[in-house]
Amino acid sequence: VQLVESGGGLVQPGESLKLSCAASGFTFSYWAMAWFRQAPGKQRELVARIARDSRINYADSVKGRFTISRDNAKNTVYLQMNSLKAEDTGVYYCNAQFYTTYWGQGTQVTVSS
């Protein structure tokens, strides 16, 4: 099983980034997919989750700014992040959930002027 994140980087406040997570080694469409993030010195927290039936939930802190989506044909989950803030800075992890859970290696997102 592999989850490979990409798309992180350094941006200024108010700018956008789109993260991608390419999955392999399991039947992607059967699994819920999620994005978590971990800021320095803080616990890892859920950012957004999309179930296999495409039901979605977001952390309150990102509602209206972030959009999670999935493409089952490409075995990929995305996180479109708009109007980024300094407090969005952290390592973003892709997560797969079913009878067990898998994690990607993470991608750094830094929002700074």
Side-chain angles (χ1 to χ4, degrees), residues 31-105:
W31 291 62
M33 299 299 298
W35 288 96
F36 285 73
R37 68 186 178 191
Q38 187 165 19
K42 295 188 177 181
Q43 289 190 328
R44 193 172 297 189
E45 63 175 357
L46 176 68
V47 175
R49 181 182 184 273
I50 183 166
R52 61 181 185 177
D53 62 0
S54 295
R55 285 177 300 165
I56 291 172
N57 59 283
Y58 295 101
D60 287 343
S61 60
V62 307
K63 283 180 181 176
R65 300 188 297 122
F66 290 11
T67 302
I68 189 171
S69 61
R70 65 189 297 160
D71 185 337
N72 289 341
K74 296 183 178 179
N75 288 356
T76 301
V77 61
Y78 304 97
L79 185 68
Q80 176 67 47
M81 305 185 294
N82 298 331
S83 303
L84 282 160
K85 305 176 181 179
E87 50 263 44
D88 295 318
T89 293
V91 179
Y92 283 68
Y93 296 92
C94 180
N95 173 256
Q97 304 171 356
F98 190 20
Y99 54 87
T100 187
T101 188
Y102 298 119
W103 293 93
Q105 81 288 351

